Amino acid sequence: MKIYEPYSLKSKNTFGIDVKAHAFISIESLKELLDLCIQNKPNLLLGGGSNMLLLNDIERDVWSYDVKGIGVIKEHDDHVLVEVQSGEVWHDLVLWAVENNFGGIENLALIPGKCGAAPIQNIGAYGVELKDILHAVYAVEKSTARQLAFHKESCEFAYRDSIFKRAYKDRLVITSIVLRLSKKGYHKLNLSYGAISKTLEERGISKPSIKDVAQAVIDIRSSKLPDVTKIGNAGSFFKNPVIPIAQFENLQKDFPNIVSYPVDEKTIKLPAAWLIDKAGWKGKMHGGASCYEKQALVLINKDKATGADVYELSSKIIASVKEIYGIELEREVNLIS
Ligand code: EPU
């Protein structure tokens, strides 16, 4: 265990917001975690800091569960079960899987953050969500130091949502996840997302490998999402709203070009990026925060933004989208104070 007091969290959140933590504790084993839980002191658990907005200094201890390790725990003819310790960086896991020819997470390349955070919001991109390959989640309950196991079915996964954001919010440290990945000859590629098939076609690849798909995703993401090491951001700041079809048909009368994706017979999903873009927010600034020029769903730390700058910009966008389209956008990013 390593303890730093006090500690600037600037390098620990991808927005690069400069706030202080009373103390920062790097936890290096399960035993250390269990010992800390028994002390039962107020704390904030940080993953990769890629889906949060820090609003002010943090008075409680900040915990980082930094245990790493990736291993095949069971092998079948067509698939393997892989256990990944929470401290692994998600993209490193994707690269490991591609290198070992294990399929299922290639569409999720370059998503920032650590593996332990992945189930919380059921990370997803390009037609694949974590729930499609997740097998189990292991966690420790902070207040009791009890070790818990969640099978996929008990995780209550939905679009950017899970039991870990609801009943278990802030109560657990996820210590490892188990994924079910396909073996060579049994891969089921998901090329449904137009940009992937278009990129592969442009490259003359008709029978893509999982490596080809991962590379296409890396290139697409790099072309429109800002690199967190250069421009502070937390990916999509808002969720894509799901609305009743009747409401959508009304909107279509005023906005005939509105983009949409089918969900079920009653509801439809709209790209929040389209709503924000057409409302004129791209490139607009508030304090040091700005709406990204290449993807309107992403808010960025353009110039030494504070958490309040980003928060106020997001509130203005929510109010403007509500006024124009009558739709209330929901933040995907967690607000931390
Ligand atoms: N669009 C605009 N203006 C823009 C950007 C997009 O009008 O500035 C419209 C376009 O019509 C485009 C549509 O919005 O076709 C959708 O845009 P995009 O394909 O970039 O995807 P998204 O819906 O904005 C979602 C996820 C991303 C994920 C991509 C790809 C959410 C909240 N976001 O974005 O996830 O990478 O799809 O699957 O679901 C994240 O969660 O941090 C994230 C980056």
Side-chain angles (χ1 to χ4, degrees), residues 133-138 149-152 155 176-179:
I133 56 270
L134 185 112
H135 179 74
V137 171
Y138 291 99
F150 296 83
H151 195 258
K152 169 192 187 123
C155 295
S176 70
I177 58 176
V178 179
L179 304 182

mmCIF file of all heavy atoms in Angstrom, residues 133-138 149-152 155 176-179:
data_model
loop_
_atom_site.group_PDB
_atom_site.id
_atom_site.type_symbol
_atom_site.label_atom_id
_atom_site.label_comp_id
_atom_site.label_asym_id
_atom_site.label_seq_id
_atom_site.Cartn_x
_atom_site.Cartn_y
_atom_site.Cartn_z
ATOM 1 N N ILE A 133 -20.171 -10.082 -23.351
ATOM 2 C CA ILE A 133 -19.082 -11.045 -23.098
ATOM 3 C C ILE A 133 -18.798 -11.226 -21.620
ATOM 4 O O ILE A 133 -17.977 -12.055 -21.241
ATOM 5 C CB ILE A 133 -17.749 -10.636 -23.809
ATOM 6 C CG1 ILE A 133 -17.312 -9.267 -23.435
ATOM 7 C CG2 ILE A 133 -17.720 -10.974 -25.264
ATOM 8 C CD1 ILE A 133 -17.796 -8.107 -24.253
ATOM 9 N N LEU A 134 -19.452 -10.443 -20.763
ATOM 10 C CA LEU A 134 -19.150 -10.560 -19.335
ATOM 11 C C LEU A 134 -19.731 -11.857 -18.761
ATOM 12 O O LEU A 134 -20.853 -12.233 -19.081
ATOM 13 C CB LEU A 134 -19.702 -9.374 -18.546
ATOM 14 C CG LEU A 134 -19.240 -9.483 -17.097
ATOM 15 C CD1 LEU A 134 -18.258 -8.390 -16.739
ATOM 16 C CD2 LEU A 134 -20.397 -9.479 -16.145
ATOM 17 N N HIS A 135 -18.966 -12.536 -17.928
ATOM 18 C CA HIS A 135 -19.415 -13.792 -17.327
ATOM 19 C C HIS A 135 -19.698 -13.592 -15.841
ATOM 20 O O HIS A 135 -20.707 -14.049 -15.319
ATOM 21 C CB HIS A 135 -18.331 -14.857 -17.545
ATOM 22 C CG HIS A 135 -18.650 -16.184 -16.958
ATOM 23 N ND1 HIS A 135 -19.586 -17.021 -17.520
ATOM 24 C CD2 HIS A 135 -18.178 -16.801 -15.852
ATOM 25 C CE1 HIS A 135 -19.669 -18.112 -16.777
ATOM 26 N NE2 HIS A 135 -18.835 -18.012 -15.753
ATOM 27 N N ALA A 136 -18.784 -12.899 -15.135
ATOM 28 C CA ALA A 136 -18.972 -12.694 -13.687
ATOM 29 C C ALA A 136 -18.172 -11.488 -13.212
ATOM 30 O O ALA A 136 -17.226 -11.046 -13.879
ATOM 31 C CB ALA A 136 -18.531 -13.942 -12.926
ATOM 32 N N VAL A 137 -18.587 -10.987 -12.057
ATOM 33 C CA VAL A 137 -17.890 -9.853 -11.435
ATOM 34 C C VAL A 137 -17.601 -10.235 -9.981
ATOM 35 O O VAL A 137 -18.494 -10.729 -9.283
ATOM 36 C CB VAL A 137 -18.786 -8.586 -11.458
ATOM 37 C CG1 VAL A 137 -18.178 -7.456 -10.628
ATOM 38 C CG2 VAL A 137 -19.027 -8.114 -12.893
ATOM 39 N N TYR A 138 -16.376 -10.026 -9.530
ATOM 40 C CA TYR A 138 -16.035 -10.244 -8.122
ATOM 41 C C TYR A 138 -15.810 -8.896 -7.461
ATOM 42 O O TYR A 138 -15.213 -7.994 -8.065
ATOM 43 C CB TYR A 138 -14.779 -11.116 -7.990
ATOM 44 C CG TYR A 138 -15.036 -12.541 -8.427
ATOM 45 C CD1 TYR A 138 -14.658 -12.973 -9.696
ATOM 46 C CD2 TYR A 138 -15.695 -13.424 -7.585
ATOM 47 C CE1 TYR A 138 -14.921 -14.274 -10.105
ATOM 48 C CE2 TYR A 138 -15.960 -14.727 -7.992
ATOM 49 C CZ TYR A 138 -15.581 -15.136 -9.248
ATOM 50 O OH TYR A 138 -15.855 -16.416 -9.650
ATOM 51 N N ALA A 149 -19.802 -12.304 -5.273
ATOM 52 C CA ALA A 149 -19.673 -12.688 -6.681
ATOM 53 C C ALA A 149 -21.004 -12.416 -7.367
ATOM 54 O O ALA A 149 -22.064 -12.724 -6.815
ATOM 55 C CB ALA A 149 -19.317 -14.164 -6.779
ATOM 56 N N PHE A 150 -20.954 -11.826 -8.526
ATOM 57 C CA PHE A 150 -22.165 -11.542 -9.296
ATOM 58 C C PHE A 150 -22.080 -12.290 -10.614
ATOM 59 O O PHE A 150 -21.138 -12.074 -11.389
ATOM 60 C CB PHE A 150 -22.280 -10.050 -9.622
ATOM 61 C CG PHE A 150 -22.433 -9.173 -8.414
ATOM 62 C CD1 PHE A 150 -21.315 -8.779 -7.683
ATOM 63 C CD2 PHE A 150 -23.685 -8.739 -8.018
ATOM 64 C CE1 PHE A 150 -21.449 -7.966 -6.570
ATOM 65 C CE2 PHE A 150 -23.829 -7.923 -6.906
ATOM 66 C CZ PHE A 150 -22.709 -7.537 -6.179
ATOM 67 N N HIS A 151 -23.047 -13.150 -10.858
ATOM 68 C CA HIS A 151 -23.103 -13.756 -12.176
ATOM 69 C C HIS A 151 -23.698 -12.727 -13.123
ATOM 70 O O HIS A 151 -24.399 -11.802 -12.679
ATOM 71 C CB HIS A 151 -23.940 -15.048 -12.134
ATOM 72 C CG HIS A 151 -23.733 -15.883 -13.353
ATOM 73 N ND1 HIS A 151 -24.637 -15.910 -14.375
ATOM 74 C CD2 HIS A 151 -22.693 -16.671 -13.723
ATOM 75 C CE1 HIS A 151 -24.168 -16.696 -15.339
ATOM 76 N NE2 HIS A 151 -22.987 -17.166 -14.963
ATOM 77 N N LYS A 152 -23.415 -12.851 -14.395
ATOM 78 C CA LYS A 152 -23.905 -11.903 -15.405
ATOM 79 C C LYS A 152 -25.379 -11.509 -15.206
ATOM 80 O O LYS A 152 -25.719 -10.323 -15.233
ATOM 81 C CB LYS A 152 -23.692 -12.564 -16.757
ATOM 82 C CG LYS A 152 -24.326 -11.928 -17.922
ATOM 83 C CD LYS A 152 -24.252 -12.890 -19.096
ATOM 84 C CE LYS A 152 -24.751 -12.172 -20.332
ATOM 85 N NZ LYS A 152 -23.775 -12.176 -21.397
ATOM 86 N N CYS A 155 -26.301 -8.813 -12.688
ATOM 87 C CA CYS A 155 -25.707 -7.476 -12.842
ATOM 88 C C CYS A 155 -26.707 -6.437 -13.356
ATOM 89 O O CYS A 155 -26.405 -5.245 -13.360
ATOM 90 C CB CYS A 155 -24.502 -7.525 -13.774
ATOM 91 S SG CYS A 155 -23.134 -8.504 -13.144
ATOM 92 N N SER A 176 -12.246 -8.017 -9.579
ATOM 93 C CA SER A 176 -11.895 -8.625 -10.865
ATOM 94 C C SER A 176 -13.155 -8.888 -11.676
ATOM 95 O O SER A 176 -14.268 -8.883 -11.133
ATOM 96 C CB SER A 176 -11.110 -9.930 -10.683
ATOM 97 O OG SER A 176 -11.941 -10.945 -10.161
ATOM 98 N N ILE A 177 -12.958 -9.083 -12.980
ATOM 99 C CA ILE A 177 -14.077 -9.440 -13.845
ATOM 100 C C ILE A 177 -13.682 -10.690 -14.627
ATOM 101 O O ILE A 177 -12.491 -10.924 -14.868
ATOM 102 C CB ILE A 177 -14.468 -8.293 -14.814
ATOM 103 C CG1 ILE A 177 -13.286 -7.873 -15.709
ATOM 104 C CG2 ILE A 177 -14.972 -7.082 -14.038
ATOM 105 C CD1 ILE A 177 -13.642 -6.815 -16.758
ATOM 106 N N VAL A 178 -14.680 -11.483 -14.991
ATOM 107 C CA VAL A 178 -14.417 -12.669 -15.803
ATOM 108 C C VAL A 178 -15.158 -12.501 -17.126
ATOM 109 O O VAL A 178 -16.357 -12.211 -17.138
ATOM 110 C CB VAL A 178 -14.875 -13.961 -15.091
ATOM 111 C CG1 VAL A 178 -14.609 -15.184 -15.975
ATOM 112 C CG2 VAL A 178 -14.171 -14.108 -13.744
ATOM 113 N N LEU A 179 -14.434 -12.642 -18.228
ATOM 114 C CA LEU A 179 -15.031 -12.486 -19.553
ATOM 115 C C LEU A 179 -15.017 -13.820 -20.283
ATOM 116 O O LEU A 179 -14.108 -14.638 -20.095
ATOM 117 C CB LEU A 179 -14.247 -11.460 -20.387
ATOM 118 C CG LEU A 179 -14.078 -10.065 -19.792
ATOM 119 C CD1 LEU A 179 -13.330 -9.167 -20.776
ATOM 120 C CD2 LEU A 179 -15.417 -9.441 -19.434
#
